[in-house]
Amino acid sequence: MASMDIGIDLGTATVLVYSGEDGIILREPSVVAVNTKTGEILDVGESAHAMLGKTPAHITAIRPLADGVISNYKMTEVMIKHFLKKACPNSGMRPRVALCVPSLITTVEAQAAGDAALAADARSVYLIEEPVAAAVGAGLDITRSNGNLILDIGGGTSDIAVLSLGGIVCKNSIKMAGNKFNEALMKYIRGKYNLLIGERMAERMKMEIASVDENAEARTFEVKGRNLATGLPGKRLVTRAELYESMLDCAVEIRRAVHSVVERTPPELVGDLYENGLVMTGGGCLLHGLDTYLSHYLKMPVRRAENPVECVAIGTGRSFEYLDQLVDGFIAFSVRKH
């Protein structure tokens, strides 16, 4: 292969890798397992994620990204290198890499992301903002003079932007996303039932019964954890209705962030938004009732993209097609590595 272009959705919870020829070629948790005594990297991705909360004292399962940005540079470099090697094992060519980053990432954070990819043996690195990647992945034509409103709810951040004529008209990024929904559920279960549950149990409960639709069909979920009074295993049957308030508090923050972007949008484009509506991407948008809730309060149509979880990765990979068309959204371009 003479050249290879790789798009990486470097998410707080999950890393997705997209190749233009093969589509999504890798999807693994953003976790690295390390032996703290020796510094040895034991595992990366799926197998490391299985160790979360289950490791002996000298083994730590680390999430190198927090709130969408790098919190542990060395581990991020290890993780990117592992995934790049896994994505293109037989290629003698170093790939061009597009990395997806939150909208309001700082210059220092952007440089850290680009440097980590270069150190992982990428030929050159582009950074693309999440809402731009999400819009491209959702199939929206962002090069026309027609306003499109995109909301990407990932694990660490929710990114909102109005796009038109290949650029970002206005944007916002908040640290309220999938992980905060999980934390709200963990806090509720601990406060109500004195039961300590893990992140994976909270994620399952969120996906199966959590809702921000007050009139949603009744459902139950058996949650298991450690009883804080006895220190022994415990379980409870939780209803969808009792989780409503916890989920609503999180949804309100996202709705206000979207509202603030719409308020700053030029009047000519607001008319387009009323017609085109809001397009949601990211795993967080799968929360039951969120589309209906946002549509009711924002007074515009709201829909999920056809493939919301993979949208950002697809758009990141396809961003190379738009290098000469986008006037905004590619927030950094790293120096070519020789």
Side-chain angles (χ1 to χ4, degrees):
M1 183 183 294
S3 175
M4 176 175 278
D5 292 337
I6 295 289
I8 302 179
D9 176 9
L10 200 61
T12 304
T14 308
V15 171
L16 283 86
V17 179
Y18 177 91
S19 164
E21 292 187 350
D22 304 310
I24 300 294
I25 54 177
L26 188 146
R27 183 207 309 264
E28 295 202 30
S30 314
V31 182
V32 180
V34 184
N35 185 323
T36 54
K37 289 183 178 178
T38 64
E40 179 190 1
I41 306 299
L42 301 177
D43 249 318
V44 179
E46 194 67 58
S47 47
H49 183 255
M51 299 181 187
L52 281 175
K54 300 179 180 180
T55 59
H58 68 285
I59 296 176
T60 305
I62 298 170
R63 289 191 180 276
L65 295 112
D67 299 326
V69 295
I70 293 173
S71 58
N72 186 318
Y73 177 83
K74 183 183 176 184
M75 291 301 108
T76 301
E77 182 186 323
V78 166
M79 188 170 71
I80 294 175
K81 195 164 192 173
H82 173 85
F83 290 142
L84 279 180
K85 187 176 179 182
K86 202 168 180 179
C88 38
N90 303 317
S91 174
M93 297 291 295
R94 295 198 301 267
R96 287 196 305 173
V97 172
L99 275 182
C100 189
V101 294
S103 286
L104 301 184
I105 190 171
T106 65
T107 304
V108 172
E109 290 165 345
Q111 190 65 50
D115 288 347
L118 284 174
D121 215 25
R123 176 157 56 98
S124 55
V125 181
Y126 296 83
L127 301 185
I128 180 172
E129 295 186 33
E130 281 185 15
V132 177
V136 172
L140 301 179
D141 185 355
I142 60 175
T143 61
R144 295 170 51 221
S145 59
N146 188 25
N148 287 287
L149 179 61
I150 195 92
L151 165 62
D152 178 64
I153 309 175
T157 61
S158 290
D159 289 83
I160 311 106
V162 174
L163 306 166
S164 179
L165 287 172
I168 296 176
V169 179
C170 49
K171 62 185 179 181
N172 195 7
S173 181
I174 59 169
K175 293 176 180 179
M176 168 56 72
N179 290 348
K180 288 288 170 50
F181 280 84
N182 293 345
E183 289 169 15
L185 291 173
M186 292 163 70
K187 182 179 178 182
Y188 172 80
I189 296 299
R190 181 171 183 161
K192 179 72 181 288
Y193 299 112
N194 209 25
L195 198 65
L196 185 65
I197 65 171
E199 182 184 334
R200 296 174 74 180
M201 179 63 67
E203 175 73 19
R204 280 184 54 204
M205 180 166 54
K206 177 181 72 177
M207 297 308 295
E208 291 192 27
I209 68 165
S211 176
V212 287
D213 180 356
E214 200 169 12
N215 301 312
E217 175 190 357
R219 285 193 180 181
T220 58
F221 180 85
E222 187 176 67
V223 63
K224 300 172 184 176
R226 183 172 78 242
N227 188 304
L228 291 170
T230 65
L232 299 174
K235 60 183 180 180
R236 285 281 184 171
L237 198 64
V238 179
T239 66
R240 170 177 270 176
E242 65 180 294
L243 302 179
Y244 172 75
E245 291 294 337
S246 298
M247 294 295 92
L248 186 63
D249 289 343
C250 298
V252 165
E253 195 168 331
I254 291 175
R255 186 247 299 174
R256 286 174 177 162
V258 177
H259 191 171
S260 73
V261 170
V262 176
E263 279 185 326
R264 290 183 280 116
T265 302
E268 292 81 0
L269 289 177
V270 172
D272 293 338
L273 302 188
Y274 185 78
E275 293 295 324
N276 298 334
L278 168 68
V279 177
M280 296 195 300
T281 65
C285 81
L286 297 175
L287 178 68
H288 185 273
L290 185 59
D291 51 348
T292 306
Y293 168 79
L294 291 175
S295 180
H296 174 74
Y297 283 98
L298 296 173
K299 311 299 181 188
M300 68 174 72
V302 175
R303 67 178 176 88
R304 294 187 182 95
E306 188 175 334
N307 193 349
V309 176
E310 296 180 352
C311 257
V312 171
I314 293 169
T316 304
R318 287 187 54 206
S319 64
F320 293 102
E321 303 169 19
Y322 292 84
L323 288 180
D324 300 324
Q325 298 181 56
L326 292 179
V327 297
D328 194 9
F330 281 92
I331 61 171
F333 172 33
S334 69
V335 178
R336 184 178 296 274
K337 185 179 180 182
H338 296 288

